[in-house]
Amino acid sequence: MDKSFDFAIAPGHLVRRTQQIAVALFMAELAAEDVTPVQFAILNAVMDTPGIDQITLAGRVAFDAATAGSVIGRLETKAWIRREPHPIDRRRKLLWLTPAGHSATLQMKTAVERVQENLLKPLSQEESQQLVTLLSKLVAGHELNAP
């Protein structure tokens, strides 16, 4: 008799479950801020690179440009991001954190660090470092071969 697929040992399933756990931990830790992991990633990237354009930002946070635009719109509504047209190419939009956005991002950074620690809590420090190294290698390997 044929057996069903064993999801318990399938890397794709385990990565998906890990993502679900990571998002649940993030949402619980940052519930008061009403922010998603993608919104935080965008805020963090804009803090690192003030004046970044939307297309470059989308690539940096590994998100499609169209969806990133709507996420940026929500951050703009919260008055955390300021969007302006590029002085030469007005189709390009440049992004900056507002003072409130900068403050909020710095405040959330500590909570996000706690989320990462809690996610890795079941592992030893050595195992945590090994997991991050292997996941980084896996992502980099697929990004190199992406179409």
Side-chain angles (χ1 to χ4, degrees):
M1 176 178 232
D2 292 333
K3 286 187 167 185
S4 65
F5 186 80
D6 190 356
F7 282 102
I9 60 169
H13 173 72
L14 293 170
V15 168
R16 183 183 67 79
R17 284 292 297 129
T18 302
Q19 168 66 5
Q20 288 174 324
I21 293 164
V23 170
L25 290 170
F26 182 98
M27 298 307 285
E29 186 71 39
L30 288 109
E33 284 76 12
D34 187 33
V35 67
T36 67
V38 171
Q39 289 173 334
F40 177 77
I42 286 173
L43 290 167
N44 196 62
V46 174
M47 181 170 29
D48 286 346
T49 316
I52 190 171
D53 69 88
Q54 281 186 215
I55 303 298
T56 304
L57 172 71
R60 185 156 301 156
V61 298
F63 219 63
D64 69 278
T67 307
S70 67
V71 173
I72 291 164
R74 286 191 289 282
L75 294 171
E76 223 176 0
T77 299
K78 290 182 177 196
W80 286 351
I81 279 192
R82 177 171 51 91
R83 186 171 15 187
E84 294 181 5
H86 187 280
I88 296 169
D89 181 355
R90 305 215 32 98
R91 294 170 299 167
R92 287 179 57 204
K93 303 299 180 203
L94 306 179
L95 306 166
W96 286 268
L97 292 183
T98 64
H102 187 75
S103 246
T105 304
L106 287 176
Q107 184 178 358
M108 288 184 274
K109 182 179 172 237
T110 304
V112 172
E113 288 168 348
R114 275 194 306 273
V115 170
Q116 305 314 302
E117 290 169 14
N118 289 334
L119 178 64
L120 297 173
K121 210 176 248 180
L123 305 177
S124 70
Q125 185 173 0
E126 183 180 315
E127 289 169 329
S128 295
Q129 290 170 345
Q130 185 179 26
L131 177 64
V132 171
T133 298
L134 290 171
L135 288 171
S136 296
K137 184 177 181 179
L138 184 68
V139 169
H142 282 284
E143 286 177 344
L144 281 176
N145 297 319

